[in-house]
Amino acid sequence: MNLKNLGDLLAVFAPLSFLTVGGGQSIVSDIHRQSVAVHAWMSDGEFLDLFALSRITPGPGSLLVTLVGWQVAGLAGAVVASAAIFLPCSVLVYGLAHLWSRYKHTAWIRAVEAGLVPVAAGMILAASGTVLRAAEGGAWAWSVAAVSTLALMFTRMNPFLMLALGGAFFWLVLA
C-alpha cells in the first residue's frame, strides 16, 4: 500500500466533494484533469473505460471516483477515494438541510438556489465536453452528442433508444 497515493486521493477528492453541485457528473471534468493531467494516474482511454463502467453500473455518478481510487491504489484506494468524495459533502448537506428548512422562504435562499442552477449546468456541460474530447471521436462524436441532446430536449424519445441509435451509428461508421 502506497500511503502517498492514498494521501493524494484524499487531497484530490475531498475538496471536489464540495463541488458536486448538480450531482457527481458535475465534477467529471476535474476528476479527468486530476487523474490524467495532474497526477498521471491513467491515460485518457483508461479514464474513459472507468467513466463508462461507472455509468453502466447502478449507483451514484460519483462511483467513478471509487474506480479511480481502485485503479490508483487497489481496495484501499477505492475506500479512501469513496470516503473522500462522499463524507465531506454528506456532512455539508446535513447541515445545510437544517438551514434550508429554517429559512426556505427567505430571499437569500431563493437567490442562492437561483445562482446554483446555472453553475451546475455549466459544470455538467464542461464534463460532457471533457468526455467528448477524451473520447477522440472527433466531429462524429460531437455531432452525435449534439443531435442526441436536441432530440432529448425537444422530444419524449426514450434515452435507451438514443443510446442504441448512437451505438448503431458508430458501428456503421467505424465498421
Side-chain angles (χ1 to χ4, degrees):
M1 179 180 341
N2 184 337
L3 292 179
K4 181 185 180 320
N5 282 343
L6 296 179
D8 288 345
L9 288 168
L10 186 65
V12 166
F13 294 126
L16 283 179
S17 175
F18 295 112
L19 297 176
T20 55
V21 176
Q25 67 260 25
S26 63
I27 59 169
V28 167
S29 184
D30 208 51
I31 294 171
H32 174 268
R33 186 180 67 82
Q34 293 285 339
S35 300
V36 175
V38 175
H39 293 282
W41 288 328
M42 62 194 67
S43 67
D44 272 338
E46 291 169 324
F47 179 83
L48 287 175
D49 289 344
L50 297 181
F51 178 79
L53 186 59
S54 73
R55 291 305 178 256
I56 62 170
T57 54
S62 299
L63 183 62
L64 172 62
V65 171
T66 303
L67 296 172
V68 169
W70 182 276
Q71 176 85 9
V72 171
L75 180 60
V79 170
V80 167
S82 297
I85 202 70
F86 290 113
L87 286 179
C89 65
S90 297
V91 171
L92 177 67
V93 166
Y94 180 77
L96 286 177
H98 290 289
L99 190 66
W100 242 245
S101 67
R102 185 172 180 181
Y103 298 103
K104 65 183 173 187
H105 297 296
T106 60
W108 71 271
I109 288 286
R110 287 193 304 269
V112 168
E113 289 174 346
L116 287 177
V117 170
V119 171
M123 292 173 76
I124 291 169
L125 282 172
S128 300
T130 298
V131 169
L132 283 170
R133 275 194 311 269
E136 300 175 355
W140 288 115
W142 287 92
S143 299
V144 168
V147 169
S148 300
T149 300
L150 292 173
L152 291 171
M153 286 178 65
F154 297 110
T155 69
R156 295 205 165 266
M157 181 177 274
N158 187 319
F160 289 112
L161 178 60
M162 188 61 63
L163 285 171
L165 291 172
F169 176 79
F170 273 94
W171 182 72
L172 289 171
V173 167
L174 299 177

